[in-house]
């Protein structure tokens, strides 16, 4: 469904992506792992068109992502941002129903609010949360609201950028379970970026490891532990010794 | 030789950098106007911007105008006394306020209050990925963030200038009548008799241009904010400085045009 072919991206002298090639099959949950600064976020932002690659091709369902109707293309996506990226000036329900209040998917306000409250309930938040502002929520609640916003318009493709960063282990577990449940029930194709190996094991159907701007290893989650790639093994076991340089 | 040339080279680089910035701001403004001509238009955001930029700037613009009008009356009285022209206080206060001080001081106060607030808000949205989130939600940041603020500022600042002009003239009246012993009715008659429609209209046109500049500078520097708190701080400062300088430059250019007309 999503295919990246030889994607390159540099920021000045910093060559972040040096030929990323990756295929995410329809309905699969692909988790991208890798050290900080290896280009995981740049990879998914390239798919969304938030970052323009210098070279290479990115296709969704065989169509170049940079061609065609941009609004229609983006309407197929939902994204959970690392920090939530909730709009401070809007109450929670308007954040969740943002897409349903304007544009092609616009619904009447009462209906959009109903859907927002339903999605909030789906991620374990009470209806009273709907009228709060993002600044009044804890980090975990903000992630849940971000998740509710990502699924509000029932997109075919959902991206999760570091869904558990900054959360305690229990809340991380809750978010991981929620993502897995939602992805399964919606049948969506997903790409998740994470450092958290618990997230990887909960969310992933397939895993890709990004290192030095290329996909170092890619395969089903079931084969990850037995893989003989030394980079992958060092990363998933969190070893300081190995081919990946650890700065002390 | 290099000791002579290096300061010149540094000056040249600075001038080129400033010109490049002016060019980028101009292109940004053209893009914003082009988005205004294409749907959708976000009325709710426009309404919010109108309140933030117009209504909530009223106290600061009003206070500035009131004290400026009062001080202007005192200065003109004192200066006019040197050639027995104290009687000109009402007309010069009125003309000075509506043609020059009302628009310029109003524009500068709005630049300080609004350009900083817009740049800080949009800059924070940028560093917290809210702008990226807008894009993923099929909403163009230029249409959603810039266009409503640009239109609101362009419409609201002339109104602020009009109100500021009236308050400034009233400030001059208060000082003229209570401090300088002018007859109240004569003061008002002198104000009205010497004021022409074009004096007021030219000031309001200036207000519209200054409002446009304030919104464009706030949005441009916010959208191009650097990372972190320092980046947002720099964007905020740059927005206020750029808006203030551009208002003063535009004021001179508009005055030249009106003067020639």
């Amino acid at each position: 469904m999503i295919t990246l072919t030889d994607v390159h991206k540099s920021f000045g002298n910093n060559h972040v992506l040096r030929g990323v090639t990756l295929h995410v099959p329809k309905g699969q949950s692909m988790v991208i792992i890798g050290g900080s600064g290896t280009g995981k976020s740049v990879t998914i932002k390239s798919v969304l068109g938030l970052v323009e690659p210098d070279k290479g091709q990115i296709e969704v369902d065989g169509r170049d992502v940079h061609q065609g109707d941009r609004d229609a293309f983006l309407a197929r996506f939902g994204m959970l941002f690392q920090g939530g990226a909730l709009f401070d000036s809007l109450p929670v329900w308007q954040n969740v129903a943002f897409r349903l209040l304007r544009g092609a998917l616009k619904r009447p306000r009462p209906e959009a609010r109903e859907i927002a409250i339903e999605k909030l309930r789906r991620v374990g938040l009470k209806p009273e949360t709907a009228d709060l502002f993002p600044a009044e929520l804890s980090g975990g609640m903000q992630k849940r609201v971000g998740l509710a916003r990502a699924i509000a318009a029932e997109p075919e493709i959902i991206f999760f950028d570091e869904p558990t960063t900054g959360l305690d282990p229990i809340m991380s577990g809750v978010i991981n379970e929620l993502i897995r449940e939602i992805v399964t029930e919606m049948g969506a194709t997903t790409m998740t970026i994470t450092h958290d190996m618990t997230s990887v094991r909960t969310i992933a159907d397939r895993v890709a490891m990004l290192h030095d701007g290329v996909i170092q290893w890619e395969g089903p989650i079931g084969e990850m532990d037995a893989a003989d790639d030394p980079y992958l093994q060092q990363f998933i076991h969190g070893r300081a010794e190995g081919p990946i340089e650890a700065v002390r | 030789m290099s000791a002579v040339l290096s300061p010149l080279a540094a000056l040249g680089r600075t001038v080129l950098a400033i010109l490049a910035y002016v060019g980028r701001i101009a292109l940004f403004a053209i893009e914003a106007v082009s988005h205004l001509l294409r749907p959708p238009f976000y009325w709710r955001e426009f309404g919010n911007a109108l309140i933030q930029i117009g209504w909530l700037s009223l106290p600061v613009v009003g206070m500035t105008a009131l004290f400026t009008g009062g001080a202007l009356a005192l200065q003109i009285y004192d200066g006019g006394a040197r050639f027995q022209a104290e009687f000109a206080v009402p007309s010069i206060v009125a003309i000075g306020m509506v043609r020059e001080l009302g628009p310029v001081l109003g524009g500068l106060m709005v630049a300080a209050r609004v350009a900083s607030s817009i740049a800080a808000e949009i800059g924070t949205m940028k560093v917290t990925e809210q702008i990226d989130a807008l894009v993923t939600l099929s909403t163009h940041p230029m249409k959603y963030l810039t266009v409503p603020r640009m239109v609101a500022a362009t419409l609201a600042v002339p109104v602020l200038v009009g109100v500021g002009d009236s308050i400034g003239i009233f400030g001059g009246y208060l000082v003229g009548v209570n401090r300088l012993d002018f007859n109240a009715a004569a003061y008002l008659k002198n104000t009205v008799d010497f004021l022409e429609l074009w004096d007021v209209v030219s000031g309001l046109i200036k207000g519209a241009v200054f409002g446009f500049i304030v919104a464009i500078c706030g949005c441009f520097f916010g959208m191009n904010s650097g990372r972190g708190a320092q980046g947002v701080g720099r964007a905020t400062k740059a927005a206020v400085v750029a808006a203030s300088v551009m208002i003063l430059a535009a004021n001179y250019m508009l005055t030249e045009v009106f003067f020639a007309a």
Side-chain angles (χ1 to χ4, degrees):
Chain A
M1 182 171 203
I2 304 172
T3 307
L4 294 91
T5 310
D6 194 29
V7 174
H8 291 248
K9 179 67 190 176
S10 300
F11 296 95
N13 293 326
N14 183 16
H15 306 298
V16 181
L17 304 182
R18 297 163 184 262
V20 169
T21 297
L22 183 67
H23 177 69
V24 185
K26 189 174 174 65
Q28 293 274 295
S29 173
M30 170 69 77
V31 175
I32 302 176
I33 57 173
S36 299
T38 51
K40 302 186 297 297
S41 292
V42 175
T43 303
I44 59 169
K45 285 184 177 179
S46 298
V47 177
L48 287 165
L50 297 172
V51 170
E52 182 98 23
D54 300 329
K55 187 183 156 196
Q57 194 163 26
I58 304 173
E59 293 173 329
V60 174
D61 283 342
R63 277 185 53 192
D64 192 308
V65 297
H66 295 104
Q67 289 172 1
D69 181 356
R70 185 114 187 95
D71 283 352
F73 170 74
L74 287 169
R76 301 176 65 188
F77 287 85
M79 177 149 179
L80 170 60
F81 285 85
Q82 188 174 346
L86 301 177
F87 305 123
D88 306 317
S89 57
L90 301 178
V92 162
W93 81 266
Q94 288 186 29
N95 264 281
V96 175
F98 192 91
R99 206 172 228 162
L100 307 174
L101 290 168
R102 44 187 69 74
L105 301 174
K106 189 171 179 177
R107 314 270 176 94
R109 279 176 86 79
E111 188 187 336
R113 186 183 160 89
E114 273 305 305
I115 294 171
I117 289 172
E118 176 51 35
K119 297 299 176 189
L120 287 170
R121 200 176 280 125
R122 180 65 196 88
V123 298
L125 292 173
K126 292 176 182 166
E128 299 89 87
T129 320
D131 293 313
L132 298 176
F133 280 85
E136 299 173 275
L137 305 178
S138 68
M141 289 168 89
Q142 288 189 10
K143 288 273 186 186
R144 289 181 194 226
V145 174
L147 184 54
R149 183 173 70 182
I151 62 170
E154 309 206 337
E156 298 166 58
I157 304 161
I158 311 175
F159 290 168
F160 301 101
D161 187 358
E162 307 272 10
T164 57
T165 298
L167 302 180
D168 65 65
I170 296 169
M171 185 52 69
S172 298
V174 169
I175 295 285
N176 286 335
E177 290 294 336
L178 268 174
I179 290 174
R180 184 70 252 183
E181 284 170 26
I182 287 166
V183 166
T184 305
E185 75 189 31
M186 288 175 64
T189 305
T190 67
M191 282 174 83
T192 306
I193 290 171
T194 187
H195 296 111
D196 179 354
M197 291 313 296
T198 310
S199 294
V200 177
R201 293 179 198 287
T202 312
I203 298 169
D205 293 322
R206 299 184 72 82
V207 178
M209 181 179 173
L210 196 56
H211 179 70
D212 255 350
V214 294
I215 298 295
Q216 181 69 35
W217 184 86
E218 195 271 327
I221 180 72
E223 293 176 13
M224 183 178 73
D225 289 317
D228 58 5
D229 186 281
Y231 292 87
L232 178 69
Q233 290 306 318
Q234 183 188 353
F235 188 86
I236 65 176
H237 293 107
R239 295 185 194 120
E241 302 297 325
I244 303 172
E245 267 185 55
V247 180
R248 286 169 186 266
Chain B
M1 190 68 178
S2 67
V4 177
L5 287 179
S6 62
L8 287 174
L11 181 66
R13 276 194 297 275
T14 308
V15 171
L16 285 176
I18 290 170
L19 289 176
Y21 250 109
V22 172
R24 287 176 61 201
I25 293 171
L27 289 175
F28 183 85
I30 291 167
E31 194 189 345
V33 171
S34 79
H35 277 286
L36 171 63
L37 305 173
R38 288 172 285 162
F41 184 78
Y42 294 103
W43 288 99
R44 194 172 288 268
E45 279 62 42
F46 168 68
N48 288 339
L50 214 49
I51 291 168
Q52 289 294 327
I53 296 168
W55 180 247
L56 297 178
S57 295
L58 202 50
V60 69
V61 171
M63 294 295 275
T64 306
L66 184 71
F67 291 122
T68 303
L72 194 59
L74 287 174
Q75 291 284 15
I76 292 165
Y77 185 83
D78 187 52
R82 294 173 199 173
F83 38 92
Q84 289 80 47
E86 299 95 325
F87 63 88
V89 168
S91 48
I92 296 181
V93 165
I95 292 168
M97 280 308 299
V98 300
R99 287 176 72 137
E100 197 63 31
L101 290 173
V104 172
L105 291 180
L108 290 176
M109 294 313 288
V110 173
R113 188 186 167 273
V114 173
S116 57
S117 139
I118 292 176
E121 185 182 354
I122 296 181
T124 305
M125 288 183 77
K126 190 183 176 203
V127 299
T128 55
E129 294 185 303
Q130 291 177 52
I131 304 243
D132 285 346
L134 274 178
V135 176
T136 65
L137 292 164
S138 309
T139 303
H140 201 297
M142 199 64 132
K143 284 189 191 301
Y144 186 76
L145 297 173
T146 303
V147 171
R149 286 167 172 80
M150 179 185 76
V151 178
T154 307
L155 295 177
V157 175
V159 177
L160 283 172
V161 166
V163 175
D165 289 348
S166 309
I167 295 175
I169 291 170
F170 179 65
Y173 167 85
L174 285 179
V175 170
V177 171
N178 297 309
R179 174 91 167 71
L180 307 174
D181 296 328
F182 274 83
N183 174 275
Y187 191 102
L188 286 176
K189 187 173 185 311
N190 265 350
T191 299
V192 174
D193 284 352
F194 284 93
L195 206 55
E196 292 176 8
L197 181 63
W198 176 243
D199 296 330
V200 179
V201 171
S202 66
L204 300 185
I205 293 171
K206 283 183 176 180
V209 173
F210 299 163
F212 180 81
I213 289 171
V214 165
I216 288 295
C217 284
C219 293
F220 172 82
F221 285 99
M223 293 269 195
N224 291 285
S225 164
R227 289 182 176 186
Q230 198 176 31
V232 176
R234 278 192 189 139
T236 306
K237 183 176 69 181
V240 176
V241 171
S244 303
V245 172
M246 287 173 78
I247 282 172
L248 294 172
N251 180 55
Y252 172 71
M253 285 187 268
L254 286 170
T255 307
E256 277 284 6
V257 170
F258 297 153
F259 191 73

